[in-house]
């Protein structure tokens, strides 16, 4: 098996297994967590879910590190969880996600007709997100490395993949969860896991405010357009945001810290840090908040001990692999400090750091869009919530320090875009509702958020119309993938034109669909022919290391590479449409297959 499509099972069976798997994880983690910690409050139950995800992803990482990864092993793991959950459903009469005292999301919705209609809209959008979480993966990020890495791991049986695929170096716990799903024929499992995590955070956040404001709370969350991109996605950035949001909410409550509760908190925090490098900044912000809040029950010595021990257990396996295999525990972040630095790796880090989804400067890029097709790249009105909290510094002094620290560190070291700055917004929303939920001017902000819901609603319906057929039959899934999965139509064309053993270099990120030997996209995209060192390195890799036979490039662009390496045209130009969930954001382009000179 060499590509993502080789692991797909029947479309309806894949969707059904995704639902059963996600719900089984949620039930099993919740039951075990309540048995161990003896606490069934909404915040703790959210923490149980994320801790369970940590345990599974950490175990899979160790299995891959030991080079014993196999489909049979991962099938056994998932079906063991499903069997355990099924046993609990049969034997536990009171088993549920949210027991009666823990149903704050549904309280206070029957007092007014407006509340009822708003509740129906929110429920409908949440349901649509859950359906989208079951659809076939389509976005370029997921198909570039969040799913391409699991394909490589299953192919090789270990984490020792081709390190020239530079994006692969950023793998973490999210890719381990995707690996579990892919091995069982459910590559979309990450999106459904994020839907469950979102509901947990909604429930936990709603439990700390008055019942009359809970619908407004969920409105502020669901009105964030960035969720349109992040929810049905396999990159698990939303998983990390939700995990740190649960940690932040955990710290805002008057919890008596014990060794057990501290371990729970740190486990979820380190889980997020192991998903994506940016969450290391979040972890520092949470630790600052913890230090400001820590009571006499947690001594500095005990805190340092737990931080060191859990940090070593959870994150050290990742850092050791990356240090040993890449020479950089945070690759590609520290490449610029290497004695023999690779300029392409340095460029990749610069590209990621400076990437912008909007032409507007910060902070306007968090609110304004250039077209309706780009609406999923902004936060919208909720972006001003952290700013409004600054007007109540006395009530939330420690919380504001953590939020401001995270925002400043993200601006300095991270990517200044809606996807990254949505995290402090999620942290701020419950606090904002506590302070301003009954303020006389609050009605203007919530009115704007409701208007955003009305914009999001048709876009979600369009997403359902375009993608939901992929869960019904194999034929419909194939059609949806041709139309909406980034790089799939190109891969089908390449398979029709070139022999199975052809060695290719393609200017497309979606490596998960390539069933043949391919040249790492990053070296094709970031190498500069005018730079002698980069040109020599590219030439060596193309001709000698990878023995590339065919170049597959857009008709427009890549002129320097075409002039030196492109020979006769084998096929094309062939027209493709930009594969996207959003029909308002579609453009066409042409690709050409060249024989290497």
């Amino acid at each position: 098996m060499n590509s993502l499509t080789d692991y797909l099972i029947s479309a309806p069976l894949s969707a059904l297994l995704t639902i059963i798997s996600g719900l089984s994880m949620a039930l099993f983690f919740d039951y075990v967590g309540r048995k161990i910690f003896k606490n069934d409050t909404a915040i703790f139950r959210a923490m149980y879910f994320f801790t369970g995800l940590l345990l599974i992803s950490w175990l899979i990482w160790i299995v891959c590190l030991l080079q014993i990864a196999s489909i049979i092993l991962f099938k056994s793991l998932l079906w063991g969880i499903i069997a355990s959950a099924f046993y609990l459903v049969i034997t536990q009469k009171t088993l549920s996600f949210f027991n009666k005292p823990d149903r704050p999301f549904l309280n206070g919705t029957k007092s007014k007709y407006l509340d009822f209609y708003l509740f129906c809209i929110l429920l409908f959008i949440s349901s649509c997100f859950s359906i989208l979480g079951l659809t076939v993966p389509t976005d370029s990020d997921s198909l570039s490395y969040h799913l391409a890495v699991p394909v490589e791991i299953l192919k090789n049986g270990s984490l020792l993949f081709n390190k020239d695929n530079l994006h692969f170096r950023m793998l973490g716990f999210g890719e381990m969860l995707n690996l579990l799903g892919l091995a069982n024929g459910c590559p979309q499992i990450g999106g459904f896991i994020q839907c469950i995590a979102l509901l947990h955070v909604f429930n936990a956040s709603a439990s700390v405010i008055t019942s009359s404001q809970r619908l407004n709370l969920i409105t502020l969350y669901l009105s964030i357009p960035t969720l349109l991109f992040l929810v049905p996605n396999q990159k698990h950035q939303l998983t990390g945001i939700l995990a740190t949001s649960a940690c932040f909410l955990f710290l805002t409550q008057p919890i008596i810290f014990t060794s057990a509760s501290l371990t729970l908190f740190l486990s979820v925090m380190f889980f997020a840090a192991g998903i994506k490098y940016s969450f290391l900044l979040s972890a520092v912000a949470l630790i600052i908040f913890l230090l400001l809040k820590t009571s006499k029950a947690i001594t500095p010595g005990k805190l340092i001990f737990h931080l060191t021990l859990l940090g070593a257990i959870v994150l050290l396996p990742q850092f050791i692999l990356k240090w040993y295999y890449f020479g950089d525990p945070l690759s590609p972040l520290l490449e610029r400090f290497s004695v023999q630095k690779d300029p392409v790796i340095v460029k990749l880090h610069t590209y990621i750091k400076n990437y912008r989804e909007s032409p507007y400067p910060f902070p306007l890029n968090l609110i304004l869009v250039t077209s309706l097709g780009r609406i999923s790249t902004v936060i919208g009105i909720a972006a001003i919530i952290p700013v409004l909290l600054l007007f109540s510094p006395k009530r939330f002094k420690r919380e504001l320090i953590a939020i401001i620290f995270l925002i400043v560190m993200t601006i300095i070291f991270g990517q200044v875009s809606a996807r990254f700055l949505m995290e402090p917004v999620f942290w701020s929303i419950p606090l904002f509702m506590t302070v301003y939920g009954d303020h006389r001017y609050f009605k203007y902000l919530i009115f704007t958020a409701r208007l955003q819901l009305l914009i999001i609603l048709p876009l979600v319906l369009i997403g359902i119309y375009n993608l939901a057929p992929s869960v019904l039959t194999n034929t419909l899934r194939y059609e949806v993938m041709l139309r909406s999965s980034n790089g799939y139509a190109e891969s089908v064309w390449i398979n029709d034109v070139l022999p199975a053993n052809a060695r290719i270099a393609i200017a497309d990120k979606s490596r998960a669909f390539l069933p043949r030997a391919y040249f790492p996209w990053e070296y094709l995209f970031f190498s500069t022919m005018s730079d002698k060192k980069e040109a020599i390195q590219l030439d060596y890799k193309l001709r000698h290391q990878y023995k590339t036979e065919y170049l597959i490039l857009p008709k427009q662009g890549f002129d320097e590479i075409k002039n030196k390496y492109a020979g006769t045209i084998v096929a094309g130009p062939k027209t493709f449409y930009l594969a996207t969930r959003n029909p308002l954001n579609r453009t066409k382009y042409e690709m050409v297959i060249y024989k290497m000179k």
Side-chain angles (χ1 to χ4, degrees):
M1 296 188 186
N2 296 312
S3 76
L4 184 147
T5 53
D6 295 328
Y7 297 94
L8 296 178
I9 59 176
S10 168
L13 182 59
S14 178
L16 179 61
L17 183 56
T18 298
I19 295 172
I20 294 173
S21 301
L23 296 182
S24 296
M25 289 181 194
L27 282 171
F28 182 66
F29 300 158
D30 185 69
Y31 177 80
V32 174
R34 286 189 288 131
K35 282 293 183 182
I36 294 174
F37 293 96
K38 310 297 182 184
N39 191 316
D40 63 355
T41 58
I43 295 176
F44 269 80
R45 297 179 82 168
M47 301 292 278
Y48 301 154
F49 180 70
F50 292 114
T51 304
L53 294 180
L54 166 64
L55 292 174
I56 286 182
S57 54
W58 183 87
L59 177 61
I60 295 173
W61 185 281
I62 297 301
V63 166
C64 296
L65 199 60
L66 296 175
Q67 302 186 49
I68 56 174
S70 69
I71 291 179
I72 294 176
L73 187 60
F74 297 136
K75 282 182 180 291
S76 301
L77 175 59
L78 183 61
W79 281 99
I81 294 172
I82 293 172
S84 300
F86 184 70
Y87 174 78
L88 292 175
V89 170
I90 294 174
T91 59
Q92 302 295 318
K93 295 180 180 180
T94 59
L95 194 67
S96 66
F97 290 109
F98 309 109
N99 56 23
K100 194 168 184 180
D102 273 342
R103 297 176 64 196
F105 177 59
L106 301 179
N107 291 340
T109 63
K110 298 180 180 179
S111 58
K112 297 178 182 179
Y113 285 114
L114 179 61
D115 284 347
F116 175 74
Y117 290 128
L118 179 59
F119 170 73
C120 290
I121 292 173
L122 295 174
L123 183 61
F124 182 76
I125 292 177
S126 299
S127 301
C128 287
F129 276 141
S130 298
I131 295 172
L132 289 173
L134 300 173
T135 59
V136 68
T138 60
D139 64 285
S140 62
D141 275 356
S142 295
L143 298 168
S144 171
Y145 83 95
H146 301 295
L147 286 169
V149 167
V151 169
E152 287 295 307
I153 291 173
L154 289 176
K155 188 191 305 183
N156 302 324
S158 76
L159 289 167
L160 301 181
F161 47 76
N162 180 8
K163 58 186 177 183
D164 281 350
N165 289 306
L166 303 183
H167 275 84
F168 290 12
R169 298 176 174 220
M170 295 180 282
L171 85 162
F173 289 138
E175 285 66 44
M176 299 302 101
L177 295 172
N178 292 344
L179 174 58
L180 180 64
L182 184 64
N184 286 273
C186 306
Q188 70 274 20
I189 199 170
F192 193 68
I193 285 174
Q194 294 192 136
C195 292
I196 297 173
L198 194 63
L199 292 178
H200 265 299
V201 171
F202 285 176
N203 188 55
S205 300
S207 69
V208 302
I209 64 171
T210 60
S211 60
S212 61
Q213 293 295 342
R214 285 166 183 162
L215 282 179
N216 289 332
L217 171 84
I218 306 303
T219 298
L220 289 176
Y221 279 128
L222 284 180
S223 67
I224 297 176
T226 315
L227 290 176
L228 289 166
F229 172 74
L230 288 180
V231 172
N233 196 295
Q234 313 308 313
K235 69 191 283 108
H236 286 281
Q237 186 168 8
L238 182 59
T239 307
I241 291 172
L242 295 170
T244 62
S245 298
C247 288
F248 185 82
L249 200 60
F250 186 87
L251 290 179
T252 62
Q253 301 308 299
I255 295 169
I256 299 175
F257 273 101
T258 62
S259 292
S261 60
L262 181 62
T263 299
L264 180 67
F265 165 78
L266 293 177
S267 296
V268 178
M269 184 189 77
F270 284 130
F271 168 62
I275 290 177
K276 195 175 181 69
Y277 295 150
S278 62
F279 293 119
L280 290 171
L281 299 176
S282 314
V284 175
L286 288 170
I287 291 170
I288 291 173
F289 188 8
L290 176 63
L291 290 172
L292 293 173
K293 184 184 176 69
T294 299
S295 64
K296 296 179 181 179
I298 300 294
T299 63
K302 183 182 288 188
L303 179 58
I304 292 172
F305 172 78
H306 279 77
L307 275 171
T308 305
L309 180 62
L310 281 172
I313 293 173
V314 175
L315 297 179
L316 205 56
Q318 286 196 25
F319 293 154
I320 289 176
L321 170 77
K322 294 180 181 183
W323 180 274
Y324 166 77
Y325 199 45
F326 309 133
D328 178 358
L330 299 174
S331 184
L333 269 65
L334 304 179
E335 182 69 23
R336 64 180 67 249
F337 304 109
S338 174
V339 177
Q340 296 180 328
K341 56 178 173 286
D342 185 329
V344 173
I345 301 177
V346 174
K347 284 184 179 181
L348 172 64
H349 173 244
T350 303
Y351 171 81
I352 294 171
K353 172 68 175 65
N354 297 328
Y355 180 77
R356 296 291 183 271
E357 296 171 323
S358 169
Y360 295 113
F362 173 79
L364 294 179
N365 65 321
L366 304 181
I367 300 174
L368 302 179
V369 293
T370 54
S371 68
L372 191 59
R374 305 288 295 174
I375 195 171
S376 63
T377 64
V378 298
I379 295 174
I381 191 63
I384 70 172
I385 288 177
V387 178
L388 295 176
L389 279 179
L390 294 174
F391 294 97
S392 58
K394 292 183 180 180
R395 185 165 183 179
F396 295 118
K397 183 177 180 181
R398 293 171 296 188
E399 289 84 347
L400 278 171
I401 290 173
I403 291 170
I404 292 171
F405 176 86
L406 178 58
I407 293 173
V408 172
M409 290 298 101
T410 300
I411 293 172
I412 295 174
F413 297 108
Q415 192 181 108
V416 188
S417 65
R419 286 190 288 117
F420 287 79
L421 288 167
M422 191 175 81
E423 185 178 11
V425 172
F426 261 62
W427 290 14
S428 302
I429 287 176
L431 305 180
F432 175 79
M433 291 301 303
T434 302
V435 178
Y436 294 105
D438 295 316
H439 195 279
R440 59 177 176 167
Y441 293 124
F442 175 75
K443 60 183 178 183
Y444 299 109
L445 184 140
I446 201 63
F447 175 74
T448 307
R450 290 173 181 176
L451 287 180
Q452 288 182 188
L453 275 182
L454 296 179
I455 297 173
I456 289 172
L457 184 59
L459 295 178
V460 171
L461 288 173
I462 291 172
I464 293 292
Y465 176 79
N466 283 330
L467 300 180
S470 68
V471 308
L472 300 177
T473 67
N474 292 350
T475 301
L476 289 174
R477 179 172 64 187
Y478 175 77
E479 293 174 358
V480 169
M481 291 173 69
L482 277 178
R483 182 177 63 248
S484 300
S485 289
N486 193 280
Y488 183 67
E490 290 93 321
S491 71
V492 172
W493 176 52
I494 294 167
N495 291 340
D496 289 340
V497 173
L498 299 180
N501 60 350
R503 297 176 177 272
I504 65 173
I506 181 170
D508 187 277
K509 295 170 61 178
S510 301
R511 289 168 276 208
F513 289 131
L514 299 177
R516 65 192 74 243
Y518 57 84
F519 184 79
W521 169 81
E522 293 86 353
Y523 282 94
L524 198 64
F525 187 82
F526 291 109
S527 295
T528 303
M529 300 298 292
S530 58
D531 185 288
K532 185 177 180 181
K533 182 179 179 180
E534 292 180 36
I536 292 173
Q537 177 179 251
L538 177 64
D539 188 77
Y540 172 78
K541 287 182 178 293
L542 272 173
R543 296 188 186 279
H544 304 289
Q545 183 176 346
Y546 291 92
K547 298 179 174 58
T548 306
E549 299 171 304
Y550 300 92
L551 289 174
I552 306 168
L553 302 171
K555 184 179 179 181
Q556 305 295 327
F558 290 89
D559 293 334
E560 291 182 330
I561 290 178
K562 289 177 184 175
N563 291 336
K564 185 170 183 179
Y565 297 108
T568 58
I569 294 178
V570 177
K574 184 173 177 61
T575 301
F576 297 95
Y577 289 89
L578 181 66
T580 173
R581 304 182 184 100
N582 189 347
L584 302 175
N585 189 30
R586 291 175 68 86
T587 56
K588 63 181 181 179
Y589 58 96
E590 294 180 306
M591 297 291 285
V592 182
I593 301 178
Y594 301 93
K595 183 73 175 176
M596 273 278 290
K597 285 182 181 178

